[in-house]
Amino acid sequence: MKVMLVNGSSHIHGTTMKALEEMVRIFEEEGIETEIIQLGSKPLADCIQCNACRKSGECVFKDDGVNEFVEKARDADGFVFATPVYFAHPSGRIFSFLDRAFYSNGSYEAFRFKPGAAIAVARRGGTTAALDALNKYFGIAQMPTAGSTYWNMVHGLYAEEAPQDEEGMQTMRNLARNMAWMMRCFAEGKKHGIPYPQTETNACTNFIKRDNQQR
């Protein structure tokens, strides 16, 4: 089994990484392979909805790791999306990265029915708003969302402060254990032939009524 963890911070050894490292430690104890995708500080293009991915099956921007992430995601069993909180929302880079990863994947085949967890790290406030935004990726892609014994957040301004948030670190450990349990349950379900839920996709509506729909 494998979990992919996306660090939406530009700081390789910052507070967000401290939270992820606490989860990685538990995953390794549980015998689960991990890979951290560090977004870093290089420019990261936003999704421009050019729809080139509808023909090619991959994002038109090919130099920042999004396409490589989606390919690896096909073989992963769970995901953790972690973000620092600057202005009461996730970092712009993790939004850009995930928007393109999910949009270019079309039917979300690489992510569907795999557990996902969001993590927010802040000095003080804005964590719940950030978590709400990241959780929406799971909700649209039929991904069961993993929770813990508190909301998935850690507090600290500098990397050395994050481990001092004892309850935050405890939350990360319990979150990792919960995800490990969920992935094992899903694996057992596959082993015993339990099928995925039937998915309806025929209806696709918006709030604008066109003339030919009113007649």
Side-chain angles (χ1 to χ4, degrees):
M1 289 185 177
K2 180 177 180 178
V3 173
M4 298 188 72
L5 306 96
V6 178
N7 185 358
S9 172
S10 59
H11 301 292
I12 297 177
H13 302 295
T15 52
T16 309
M17 184 62 82
K18 287 294 183 182
L20 289 176
E21 288 173 344
E22 192 72 359
M23 291 191 71
V24 166
R25 184 171 66 82
I26 299 302
F27 283 134
E28 290 178 348
E29 289 179 1
E30 296 282 345
I32 294 173
E33 181 184 354
T34 61
E35 180 178 358
I36 295 179
I37 308 298
Q38 174 66 40
L39 299 190
S41 57
K42 293 181 179 180
L44 188 65
D46 194 9
C47 178
I48 59 174
Q49 203 179 11
C50 63
N51 288 322
C53 57
R54 293 296 180 260
K55 297 180 179 179
S56 66
E58 62 180 13
C59 183
V60 70
F61 299 117
K62 304 180 185 296
D63 59 351
D64 53 14
V66 170
N67 291 324
E68 291 80 0
F69 169 72
V70 173
E71 282 304 308
K72 290 181 178 180
R74 300 181 194 280
D75 296 321
D77 301 287
F79 301 90
V80 177
F81 301 153
T83 184
V85 177
Y86 301 135
F87 287 93
H89 57 70
S91 70
R93 60 185 52 256
I94 198 168
F95 265 150
S96 295
F97 187 89
L98 294 178
D99 278 359
R100 287 169 48 207
F102 277 72
Y103 192 79
S104 65
N105 191 230
S107 63
Y108 312 120
E109 171 268 332
F111 304 101
R112 284 185 300 159
F113 307 118
K114 299 176 182 180
I119 294 174
V121 181
R123 180 191 69 84
R124 188 170 177 86
T127 49
T128 52
L131 290 173
D132 178 65
L134 291 183
N135 281 333
K136 287 181 169 62
Y137 292 99
F138 308 134
I140 198 172
Q142 295 180 280
M143 299 173 67
T145 305
S148 186
T149 44
Y150 195 76
W151 292 286
N152 303 338
M153 60 182 72
V154 173
H155 289 88
L157 179 59
Y158 302 109
E160 61 270 19
E161 293 179 350
Q164 298 177 42
D165 181 4
E166 295 181 6
E167 186 173 1
M169 290 292 118
Q170 175 180 266
T171 300
M172 296 300 102
R173 294 192 295 272
N174 288 332
L175 177 59
R177 294 185 185 105
N178 290 348
M179 283 193 68
W181 175 81
M182 291 174 71
M183 289 187 293
R184 290 195 180 101
C185 287
F186 295 166
E188 283 297 307
K190 293 178 184 178
K191 181 180 177 181
H192 290 85
I194 299 176
Y196 287 129
Q198 181 179 355
T199 300
E200 297 182 25
T201 58
N202 292 332
C204 182
T205 60
N206 58 25
F207 299 110
I208 305 300
K209 291 185 177 181
R210 295 177 173 83
D211 288 343
N212 62 351
Q213 293 176 327
Q214 294 175 337
R215 293 170 183 164

